[in-house]
């Protein structure tokens, strides 16, 4: 059940940031709404004649919508709750947050009167903020993606560990290429110089 439990902080709560893995390249994030067992997140709107949202944020488009937890999970059997620092950390976000897994079948009865929902709690305020942004269509992969949105609603700052991770990967690859570009010609120069010295003897 969803409720505030100081003895067991690893429990899904109203207004938590949740994450589901889409593929090896990216994860999808949203705000969990205990009252309806739903999720508010950036998603591509329903297509004409289609019965559900795509649950995707990879199109670099979409809008903030509220969907069922099942639609958000899109077939996944589990998801992760992500607890971020209350203030934006100076270090990489993925190092500063805590996560734990929740199985889909654990939250089937996760709705009133089985859960305690405090509208004035940080989670309750996160849900209110997320609901106030329903219909927003300012999605941007780098500056305002689904993780930025969820973190902003719950913690009041915009940050994405996912984007930071992509940036680190790109920077590491660029550094490796730069080392190759500099080191390989220098090594050839070194070999050439050694041959010249041998020929002088």
């Amino acid at each position: 059940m969803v409720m505030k439990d100081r003895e067991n902080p690893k429990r899904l709560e109203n207004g938590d940031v949740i994450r589901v893995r889409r593929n090896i390249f990216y994860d999808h994030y949203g705000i969990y709404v205990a009252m309806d067992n739903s999720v508010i997140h950036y998603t591509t709107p329903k297509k004409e004649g289609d019965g559900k949202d795509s649950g995707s944020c990879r199109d670099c488009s979409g809008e903030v919508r509220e969907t069922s937890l099942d639609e958000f999970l899109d077939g996944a059997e589990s998801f992760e709750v992500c607890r971020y620092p209350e203030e934006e950390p100076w270090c990489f976000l993925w190092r500063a947050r805590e996560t734990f897994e929740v199985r889909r079948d654990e939250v089937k009865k996760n709705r009133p009167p089985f859960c305690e929902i405090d509208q004035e709690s940080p989670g309750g305020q996160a849900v209110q903020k997320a609901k106030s942004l329903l219909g927003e269509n300012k999605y941007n992969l780098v500056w305002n993606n689904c993780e930025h949105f969820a973190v902003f609603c719950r913690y009041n700052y915009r940050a994405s560990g996912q984007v930071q991770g992509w940036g680190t990967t790109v920077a590491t690859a660029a550094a490796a290429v730069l080392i190759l570009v500099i080191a390989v010609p220098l090594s050839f120069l070194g070999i050439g110089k050694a041959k010249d010295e041998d020929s002088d003897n």
Side-chain angles (χ1 to χ4, degrees), residues 113-125:
F114 304 104
C115 59
E116 173 190 332
I117 300 173
D118 179 2
Q119 298 295 337
E120 298 307 312
S121 69
Q125 291 177 12

Side-chain angles (χ1 to χ4, degrees), residues 32-178:
Y32 178 69
V33 183
M35 180 68 72
D36 305 309
N37 206 25
S38 61
V39 185
I40 300 175
H41 57 118
Y42 258 108
T43 182
T44 303
K46 296 175 183 177
K47 293 180 181 176
E48 194 112 354
D50 193 2
K52 68 174 189 174
D53 288 336
S54 72
S56 169
C57 68
R58 61 187 164 189
D59 301 329
C60 299
S61 62
E63 64 185 49
V64 177
R65 299 174 62 84
E66 185 170 359
T67 67
S68 69
L69 178 62
D70 282 334
E71 288 178 29
F72 175 80
L73 294 179
D74 195 26
E77 291 301 317
S78 65
F79 58 94
E80 285 188 317
V81 173
C82 300
R83 300 267 167 82
Y84 296 78
E86 293 299 326
E87 294 182 2
E88 187 171 2
W90 60 268
C91 63
F92 289 119
L93 201 61
W94 74 83
R95 289 186 179 177
R97 72 185 173 200
E98 296 177 2
T99 63
F100 59 91
E101 186 178 29
V102 177
R103 291 196 53 78
R104 172 65 190 93
D105 55 15
E106 293 175 14
V107 292
K108 285 183 178 177
K109 294 180 180 178
N110 232 0
R111 52 194 66 178
F114 304 104
C115 59
E116 173 190 332
I117 300 173
D118 179 2
Q119 298 295 337
E120 298 307 312
S121 69
Q125 291 177 12
V127 169
Q128 291 177 49
K129 185 184 288 187
K131 284 183 177 288
S132 75
L133 295 171
L134 287 170
E136 178 184 278
N137 58 356
K138 298 177 181 177
Y139 181 88
N140 180 286
L141 182 64
V142 177
W143 306 113
N144 191 40
N145 64 31
C146 53
E147 186 179 10
H148 286 107
F149 167 77
V151 171
F152 173 68
C153 289
R154 174 60 180 79
Y155 297 98
N156 208 33
Y157 59 84
R158 291 186 187 273
S160 172
Q162 194 163 220
V163 169
Q164 291 172 352
W166 295 335
T168 301
T169 301
V170 170
T172 301
V177 169
L178 187 61

